[in-house]
Amino acid sequence: MIRPNEEINEKKLLRALVDGKLPDASGRFGPFGGRYVPETLMPAIERLTEGVHRLLPDESFNHKLTSQLKEWVGRPTALTHAARLSKAWGADVWFKREDLAHTGAHKINNAIGQALLAKELGATRIVAETGAGQHGVASAAACARVGLPCVVYMGELDIQRQSPNVDRMKRLGANVVSVNSGDRTLRAAIDEAIRDWVSDPVDTYYLLGSAVGPHPYPFLVRELQAVIGREARSQLETHGGLPDAVFACVGGGSNAIGLFHGFLGEENISLIGVEAGGRGDDLGDHSATLGSGRPGVLHGAYSLLLYDDHGQIQETHSVSAGLDYPGVGPEHALLKLVGRVKYVTAKDSEALDALQECCELEGILPALETAHAIAGARHWASTNQGARILIGLSGRGDKDMPILSQYPIKTNDTEGAENAAA
Ligand SMILES: *Cc1c(COP(=O)(O)O)cnc(C)c1O
């Protein structure tokens, strides 16, 4: 916890982070992170931590992971120059195309990495949680690929809202379990997945979907997503050099942390995370955890959270289901504290506008989550003309078609305006 008399040396913490020394041995990113789990889970957490530290640097494990990323995921993903968007914004805009990865988003990098890890650690079944269903689909696919049975916990409300993804998970062989406790969405699904894991921590592996949860998950997920930043950096270096600014959307924070890590040591590069500003600034109307959250414990880690004056975790809102979470990864909380990453918000309406512009000018339908990053970059470009900008295109928007159908396409001609008004 941050105690009033505890001295936080921001420069030192940032240095340690850049040098790869965080999280520390207790799983902390400065004051954030750690392990707030039931005692019964500690042996499983210890075993997992040992496995992560042994296998991630292991040559034979890396060979297996790299070949799955190449042959099955489709890495390296492309770096795309957004030429027409650049012209429209007065900037030089580049996309790192995680939307082109297998199953349509960055989540597969983490899912296949952890599925391989589970196999090496001798697990015989996988449990996972999912909100919008994207991590559930990636987990189901990865489990099929490595040959492990997969149980996906999903809130009852999310099952109703995301039925195409439920069908995809089932097709891919997963057992989707409906969670009707708590808020009946992602938060309850995570609680249920942890409960399952506690009941059989030896044979079961918990495949967590973002850079959140108890140590070693935030570290493990970051390491598995860091491939995004490494690739983007070397691709940019052969296409005219490093960017002035890097943008990514932040839900739990996995695509952002993976992209940012490639540039953390370059002080001249602005790193900007974009959270969901939703429909307004009131608690409950957005999911801007870093922007307006307070320190606390959720799902096994000490980080920033959205809760009310009674300490009740808040319901959040965002047009994009993948950003709709009241917590955020502990490493982002530290990056905010030390000032290395700036966190801004994009409202639902701004994300929808950015999505439309990206469709019309670049022929790419981004995910609604991703559209927040584009909206943040667009806003920043207006006061930083001529800047070179990298945007993490975390996923594709095909999954969002049912939601998008509620928002008429805005066009500049009068006929379109009439349609929109009708
Ligand atoms: C899940 C998801 C996100 C948000 O998750 P992070 O862990 O913050 O990356 C962002 N974009 C897409 C396309 C997603 O599916």
Side-chain angles (χ1 to χ4, degrees), residues 73-368:
V73 172
R75 305 208 72 89
T77 57
L79 177 77
T80 301
H81 186 229
R84 296 186 69 214
L85 209 60
S86 295
K87 194 153 176 252
W89 293 1
D92 184 23
V93 185
W94 297 78
F95 290 155
K96 178 58 177 163
R97 303 287 307 280
E98 294 304 296
D99 60 314
L100 297 177
H102 182 43
T103 66
H106 67 288
K107 288 200 170 73
I108 198 72
N109 304 323
N110 172 50
I112 188 64
Q114 287 198 53
L116 287 171
L117 192 72
K119 192 102 186 162
E120 293 288 325
L121 295 176
T124 55
R125 69 189 277 271
I126 300 265
V127 295
E129 83 295 336
T130 199
Q134 291 305 106
H135 175 58
V137 168
S139 298
C143 287
R145 180 71 177 168
V146 306
L148 280 172
C150 179
V151 177
V152 179
Y153 289 95
M154 188 168 184
E156 194 180 21
L157 287 182
D158 288 332
I159 288 184
Q160 288 162 16
R161 291 189 291 200
Q162 313 286 336
S163 67
N165 271 341
V166 177
D167 293 340
R168 281 170 87 195
M169 284 180 249
K170 289 182 178 166
R171 274 288 163 199
L172 289 162
N175 175 13
V176 181
V177 177
S178 172
V179 177
N180 50 27
S181 56
D183 64 356
R184 294 184 293 152
T185 68
L186 177 61
R187 192 150 52 89
I190 298 180
D191 288 337
E192 214 49 47
I194 293 177
R195 214 162 288 155
D196 180 320
W197 189 26
V198 173
S199 73
D200 179 18
V202 175
D203 294 323
T204 299
Y205 180 95
Y206 177 27
L207 207 173
L208 188 47
S210 189
V212 299
H215 180 66
Y217 284 106
F219 166 71
L220 170 60
V221 176
R222 178 247 276 172
E223 291 298 294
L224 293 172
Q225 294 292 4
V227 66
I228 306 173
R230 272 198 306 276
E231 282 178 12
R233 184 181 177 123
S234 81
Q235 287 166 323
L236 280 166
E237 276 168 344
T238 57
H239 286 89
L242 294 178
D244 298 306
V246 180
F247 287 83
C249 63
V250 180
S254 69
N255 87 90
I257 208 73
L259 184 63
F260 291 166
H261 254 261
F263 306 93
L264 218 51
E266 309 289 339
E267 281 172 31
N268 297 333
I269 301 180
S270 301
L271 304 177
I272 299 155
V274 188
E275 296 191 291
R279 58 192 162 216
D281 294 336
D282 291 345
L283 203 60
D285 282 345
H286 60 81
S287 344
T289 314
L290 290 152
S292 50
R294 294 179 279 179
V297 170
L298 178 67
H299 296 137
Y302 182 67
S303 185
L304 292 174
L305 306 175
L306 291 168
Y307 53 85
D308 65 17
D309 289 338
H310 305 286
Q312 259 329 315
I313 301 289
Q314 274 304 289
E315 302 255 319
T316 50
H317 164 81
S318 170
V319 68
S320 75
L323 301 184
D324 207 349
Y325 177 64
V328 72
E331 190 166 356
H332 284 290
L334 177 64
L335 285 166
K336 183 191 171 178
L337 181 73
V338 302
R340 178 63 188 97
V341 179
K342 199 173 155 213
Y343 295 91
V344 300
T345 58
K347 292 203 159 42
D348 286 352
S349 57
E350 293 166 324
L352 286 159
D353 287 349
L355 178 141
Q356 191 56 34
E357 189 177 30
C358 184
C359 284
E360 286 173 16
L361 296 185
E362 296 300 335
I364 297 169
L365 170 60
L368 272 168

